[in-house]
Amino acid sequence: MLMKNFIVQLPRGLQARHTALFVRKVSSFKSEVILSKSGKVANGKDIMKIMDLVIKEGDEITLVVHGFDEQAVMETLKKYLSNLT
């Protein structure tokens, strides 16, 4: 299991379009992904739960990844949330 805090650097944060891309990336892996912000938690493959977190640019979030491809998942999401991809 991997856990990492991130500062979201996506313009306008995880609004609808960015959230859909996030979920698509997460869903391409087998690992379980949990996303949390300010005590609220969402499954990384559930677009509506992620939207409920109202993640904006500059917000700190925590990702917990568990599964056999967790390293690849964490690296992919790190690049995405840092606006590198």
Side-chain angles (χ1 to χ4, degrees):
M1 179 170 69
L2 300 175
M3 181 186 300
K4 184 149 176 77
N5 291 335
F6 290 98
I7 301 296
V8 176
Q9 297 175 8
L10 293 167
R12 295 180 305 281
L14 284 176
Q15 289 184 348
R17 184 173 140 290
H18 286 138
T19 301
L21 291 171
F22 180 91
V23 170
R24 187 176 304 146
K25 288 178 184 299
V26 171
S27 295
S28 70
F29 294 99
K30 298 287 185 195
S31 290
E32 177 182 343
V33 176
I34 302 297
L35 183 67
S36 66
K37 176 191 162 201
S38 303
K40 294 172 82 177
V41 178
N43 181 325
K45 296 180 182 180
D46 186 335
I47 192 167
M48 296 308 292
K49 293 290 184 184
I50 296 171
M51 293 290 293
D52 284 345
L53 296 179
V54 190
I55 298 170
K56 299 176 182 156
E57 182 178 10
D59 284 350
E60 182 175 6
I61 61 167
T62 302
L63 284 179
V64 177
V65 181
H66 179 67
F68 77 93
D69 55 359
E70 60 193 22
Q71 291 288 351
V73 174
M74 193 62 84
E75 187 61 31
T76 298
L77 297 179
K78 175 184 172 185
K79 287 179 184 176
Y80 182 67
L81 293 169
S82 298
N83 202 24
L84 298 175
T85 58

